[in-house]
């Protein structure tokens, strides 16, 4: 079953598990940026420092916002689940 067809609780569990696999090194290029992750947390679909620009980039890629999870990556450190502290969107 595709990720976007699973119940919300299952999608969030899958996202959190996959998002936690991202290393500091992988997230470093996105510090200070708004990042649209795939629903399963395995891919960055669009990103930018400016939220509007991140949405424009997502739109240009032909991806609908409801097919993503949006994070604001503030800083990385190993203690946090998902490795980077995020700001709720």
């Amino acid at each position: 079953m595709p990720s976007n067809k699973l119940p919300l609780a299952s999608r969030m569990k899958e996202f959190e598990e996959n998002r936690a696999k991202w290393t500091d090194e992988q997230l470093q290029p996105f510090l200070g940026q708004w990042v649209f992750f795939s629903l399963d947390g395995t891919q960055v679909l669009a990103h930018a420092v400016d939220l509007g620009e991140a949405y424009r980039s997502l739109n240009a890629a032909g991806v609908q916002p409801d097919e993503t999870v949006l994070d604001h990556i503030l800083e990385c450190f190993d203690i946090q689940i998902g490795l980077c502290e995020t700001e709720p969107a």
Side-chain angles (χ1 to χ4, degrees), residues 13-32:
K13 182 175 189 252
E14 179 183 33
F15 173 81
E16 289 172 355
E17 288 173 355
N18 289 328
R19 175 70 170 73
K21 295 175 185 175
W22 286 74
T23 66
D24 284 349
E25 291 78 25
Q26 290 172 310
L27 292 169
Q28 187 71 31
F30 308 110
L31 287 179

Side-chain angles (χ1 to χ4, degrees), residues 16-64:
E16 289 172 355
E17 288 173 355
N18 289 328
R19 175 70 170 73
K21 295 175 185 175
W22 286 74
T23 66
D24 284 349
E25 291 78 25
Q26 290 172 310
L27 292 169
Q28 187 71 31
F30 308 110
L31 287 179
Q33 296 190 36
W34 291 95
V35 177
F36 284 99
F37 285 94
S38 59
L39 286 177
D40 66 3
T42 61
Q43 298 177 336
V44 170
L45 303 175
H47 61 92
V49 172
D50 176 74
L51 182 56
E53 184 59 36
Y55 270 102
R56 287 187 286 280
S57 179
L58 189 69
N59 186 50
V63 179
Q64 297 297 314

